[in-house]
Amino acid sequence: MTFFQSKLRQLTAATVGALAVMSATPALAGVIDFESVAPNIYGGTEVITQSGYSLTVIDTPAAGPGGTGFAGAIGDGSDPFLCTVAACPTGNASQFYLGVNDGSLRVTRTDNHLFQLTGLDYAFLAPVGGLGGYTYGQLTLVGELSNGTKVSYAYDFPVLDSLGYSPFETLSLTAFGGNYFSSVTIGSCLFDGNGGCASPLAGAENQSQFAIDNLQVTPVPEPETYALMGLGLGLVGWMSRRRSRAASAARTNIVANTIAA
């Protein structure tokens, strides 16, 4: 084998490796739906893993970022005994995440690379049943970019129905989802009656609560993957042109030999 052939084989192997990485990447993409995790309750700092992502429960703000109090749960919407002291959201018979007691949830990729969050299903977890048909607060999203800059958005919770329950709704994160994040922290706040939204609301601690499901996440391929892919495409193009020139030369020789004969 010549030196050139050896290098060509190495480049081909690198290209195949890049293609394998890119074809494997969508395994991280898709939906975090909490279906592969058994229903359970979680304290602050506990981590839930699913589909290549780590979901860290945060017990805040009263207990501080290192608090370990009850701050989250995964429940089954088809279980009639899921909520005995609160008003569970309606319209979701699958498993979903419940952020309770002013807690929040931090989403990262398990490999610590960047990702996008482009949509989710959400609802308000009312602290008691029978509340009036209003919206009581907002779902809050704080995404951290690779340079440490934070991007924040807030979305009003659905209006409670006539029985005081919050229906699940699908939220398309058009602006927020266009960013590449190292982490996204999902939380909630309550309207204070003066045009603001706070967590915890003075005199109403542990009532900033939410429910989420079907997080639409997409991993961002690393630059070296694109570089290898570009190298592979360039190699394929070069080989194609080389073969084309060789075939053309062969046809010319055949024609020349035929005329000479």
Side-chain angles (χ1 to χ4, degrees):
M1 179 184 298
T2 66
F3 175 79
F4 175 76
Q5 289 174 323
S6 175
K7 289 299 181 182
L8 184 61
R9 177 170 293 182
Q10 291 175 14
L11 287 174
T12 302
T15 302
V16 171
L19 289 171
V21 169
M22 295 191 76
S23 64
T25 297
L28 289 174
V31 181
I32 299 176
D33 59 11
F34 306 102
E35 294 300 318
S36 64
V37 185
N40 201 354
I41 61 174
Y42 298 93
T45 74
E46 291 193 76
V47 179
I48 305 164
T49 58
Q50 186 184 18
S51 304
Y53 290 81
S54 297
L55 314 173
T56 303
V57 179
I58 301 176
D59 178 21
T60 56
T68 58
F70 174 42
I74 291 179
D76 186 343
S78 65
D79 181 359
F81 303 104
L82 175 61
C83 292
T84 57
V85 295
C88 268
T90 61
N92 189 340
S94 66
Q95 292 189 177
F96 52 85
Y97 180 82
L98 299 161
V100 301
N101 297 339
D102 305 325
S104 53
L105 187 69
R106 184 173 183 264
V107 183
T108 60
R109 274 176 61 177
T110 303
D111 59 11
N112 294 318
H113 291 167
L114 302 179
F115 68 99
Q116 293 176 295
L117 176 62
T118 58
L120 53 79
D121 296 340
Y122 79 123
F124 177 53
L125 176 59
V128 295
L131 296 177
Y134 305 100
T135 178
Y136 285 83
Q138 296 176 324
L139 185 77
T140 60
L141 302 176
V142 180
E144 184 170 348
L145 306 177
S146 59
N147 63 3
T149 301
K150 292 185 178 180
V151 179
S152 301
Y153 277 81
Y155 303 89
D156 287 1
F157 280 122
V159 173
L160 301 189
D161 64 20
S162 59
L163 298 177
Y165 296 98
S166 174
F168 259 98
E169 290 186 0
T170 297
L171 185 60
S172 179
L173 305 175
T174 304
F176 185 83
N179 296 288
Y180 298 155
F181 296 114
S182 58
S183 71
V184 173
T185 300
I186 304 173
S188 61
C189 62
L190 295 177
F191 292 134
D192 60 11
N194 297 311
C197 196
S199 175
L201 188 64
E205 287 80 2
N206 296 332
Q207 294 185 14
S208 295
Q209 306 186 134
F210 63 93
I212 53 173
D213 197 7
N214 300 321
L215 280 65
Q216 306 288 332
V217 287
T218 304
V220 180
E222 299 307 300
E224 56 267 25
T225 301
Y226 284 121
L228 283 174
M229 187 61 181
L231 175 63
L233 292 175
L235 177 61
V236 170
W238 176 82
M239 291 177 66
S240 177
R241 291 192 298 273
R242 186 170 181 270
R243 289 172 179 169
S244 178
R245 288 196 298 269
S248 177
R251 287 194 297 269
T252 300
N253 289 337
I254 291 174
V255 171
N257 292 334
T258 300
I259 293 174

